[in-house]
Amino acid sequence: MGASARMIGVFDSGVGGLTVLRALAAELPAEQFVYLGDTARLPYGTKSAETVVRYALQATAALAAFPLKCLVIACNTASAVALPAVRARIASVPVIGVIEPGAEAACAASNCGHIAVIATEGTVRGGAYQQAIRRRRPEAQVTAVPAPLFVALAEEGVCEGPIAEAVAHHYLDPLFAAAGRIDTLVLGCTHFPMLGRAIRGAVGPGIDIVDSAQTTAGHVRRALERSGIAASAGAGAVRLLATDAPQRFARIGARFLARPIAPDEVELIDL
Ligand code: DGL
């Protein structure tokens, strides 16, 4: 099989990573993708690092059954705690997480160097964004807070309107009031771009909002091009796998992927 016939594996705790898959498919339209959503065990964001590492290694093992050319950890929480373990397990292909691209985009966007990050509890606790930003800009001030209700709202499709707006104010008003001058906000969770309008409404127009999905897609494209393994022609394809409730995955996931997903498009697998 030629290099261009191989697949890009993508995994997440559930449907959220479909925001990353959407950006990847737009950036790399000729590629074949296999996406695994670990819906049986979502959320990862409230679990211990040890558990998330174990889950991420199981997802990696399942995707390694496909002819992979690259593996993308679309989940911020898994990227934050499991990237080194996944890289060690699947050393033959490049593994790209969403934290480094998100940190890079935040550092490029920020003028004053004060960057806020909203994410899951696990991502904030592990400090991965804080470290990735300070590696690039040692003088940066980083304020990271968990915003777990955004995950539930996005899952329920309550992305706009008074409830979404109230939750956005609940998290963001104290953050921006207490932290002083912030000019950049990182959406450090797969679900948060779905609430982009409510988040923008709460922070106002003067703040740069960074969504790592887009930057990650650019990273993956450049990594494939550097290695000479990018697919240059042909129609791309997406294969969807879930560990539980494939019909729910199709229904909720359609919003994240921004296209309808037929229920029989999602294959149920066990890890
Ligand atoms: N995918 C997770 C993340 O980006 C959010 C959902 C979860 O907690 O599993 O951190």
Side-chain angles (χ1 to χ4, degrees):
M1 183 181 297
S4 62
R6 290 188 293 144
M7 305 177 88
I8 299 176
V10 183
F11 78 83
D12 178 46
S13 54
V15 291
L18 293 172
T19 56
V20 179
L21 179 64
R22 183 172 79 195
L24 284 165
E27 184 89 20
L28 296 158
E31 297 289 348
Q32 312 281 319
F33 294 94
V34 53
Y35 178 97
L36 168 61
D38 190 8
T39 42
R41 302 186 292 192
L42 176 129
Y44 283 9
T46 53
K47 303 213 163 63
S48 69
E50 294 71 26
T51 297
V52 174
V53 169
R54 183 156 51 86
Y55 290 174
L57 290 176
Q58 289 169 346
T60 301
L63 287 173
F66 293 85
L68 296 187
K69 60 163 99 171
C70 176
L71 179 64
V72 179
I73 308 180
C75 177
N76 287 258
T77 309
S79 298
V81 302
L83 187 62
V86 170
R87 283 197 170 133
R89 182 62 58 88
I90 186 166
S92 55
V93 299
V95 179
I96 296 174
V98 288
I99 303 279
E100 294 292 332
E104 185 184 302
C107 290
S110 179
N111 287 318
C112 73
H114 192 170
I115 297 168
V117 180
I118 50 173
T120 65
E121 276 172 56
T123 300
V124 170
R125 196 177 48 230
Y129 268 110
Q130 296 91 315
Q131 288 155 23
I133 290 169
R134 289 213 189 91
R135 262 199 305 281
R136 289 172 172 81
R137 283 184 70 167
E139 87 295 355
Q141 192 180 341
V142 188
T143 306
V145 295
L149 284 175
F150 283 147
V151 174
L153 288 177
E155 287 276 327
E156 292 302 320
V158 184
C159 297
E160 290 180 15
I163 299 175
E165 286 161 17
V167 174
H169 282 289
H170 169 74
Y171 288 126
L172 296 166
D173 291 357
L175 170 65
F176 279 77
R181 188 162 160 253
I182 291 170
D183 68 357
T184 304
L185 174 68
V186 180
L187 306 185
C189 175
T190 49
H191 288 59
F192 296 178
M194 302 298 294
L195 290 122
R197 197 174 294 188
I199 292 170
R200 168 62 73 199
V203 300
I207 304 291
D208 259 300
I209 296 181
V210 171
D211 159 9
S212 56
Q214 199 52 53
T215 337
T216 301
H219 266 246
V220 174
R221 181 177 52 71
R222 286 191 295 280
L224 298 182
E225 286 171 355
R226 265 199 310 276
S227 316
I229 55 170
S232 51
V238 170
R239 188 160 164 187
L240 300 171
L241 315 172
T243 54
D244 194 21
Q247 301 207 342
R248 185 175 195 279
F249 181 102
R251 182 167 47 83
I252 310 283
R255 284 199 295 269
F256 288 74
L257 196 53
R259 69 150 170 90
I261 301 174
D264 61 3
E265 215 187 309
V266 186
E267 297 164 50
L268 183 63
I269 66 157
D270 201 8
L271 297 184

